[in-house]
Amino acid sequence: VLRRLAVLDGLEDLERFIIHEVVDTPGSYADYYNLGAGVPFGLSHGFGQLSLTRPSAESKTHDNVLFVGASSRPGNGVPLVLIGAKAVAEKALKKLKTKIT
């Protein structure tokens, strides 16, 4: 992925800005989110993975990392992912404005 992105202007040295990398597998999802064997399209609809029990859009360990998608709040399905994307974009802009001022 990094090789493909490196051909774009401004992303030639993207790799040097990566400070932490995690590779998730079906097994790690099973361990972290109480899933039987992981799932291909995000967390399941089981009671343990609904609404507030889904991972937050904000990283607990990195102030400059935000998450969006079917496995984070507010949840899966196109409408909820789009709502989540809008919320994350607004949070990102707010964080950027705070750092600039």
Side-chain angles (χ1 to χ4, degrees), residues 10-30:
L11 297 180
E12 299 86 359
D13 60 348
L14 179 63
E15 187 170 7
R16 74 182 184 101
F17 294 100
I18 297 173
I19 58 171
H20 183 74
E21 182 177 8
V22 174
V23 177
D24 281 319
T25 66
S28 65
Y29 267 61

Side-chain angles (χ1 to χ4, degrees), residues 5-86:
L5 290 173
V7 301
L8 301 173
D9 288 338
L11 297 180
E12 299 86 359
D13 60 348
L14 179 63
E15 187 170 7
R16 74 182 184 101
F17 294 100
I18 297 173
I19 58 171
H20 183 74
E21 182 177 8
V22 174
V23 177
D24 281 319
T25 66
S28 65
Y29 267 61
D31 293 341
Y32 298 146
Y33 304 116
N34 194 27
L35 301 172
V39 293
F41 303 110
L43 299 178
S44 75
H45 292 286
F47 187 70
Q49 286 89 29
L50 293 178
S51 187
L52 296 177
T53 59
R54 286 184 178 269
S56 171
E58 297 191 44
S59 172
K60 293 178 182 175
T61 55
H62 301 289
D63 187 47
N64 61 340
V65 175
L66 297 168
F67 305 105
V68 66
S71 292
S72 62
R73 275 184 237 143
N76 58 4
V78 173
L80 288 176
V81 170
L82 291 174
I83 290 168
K86 181 179 179 189

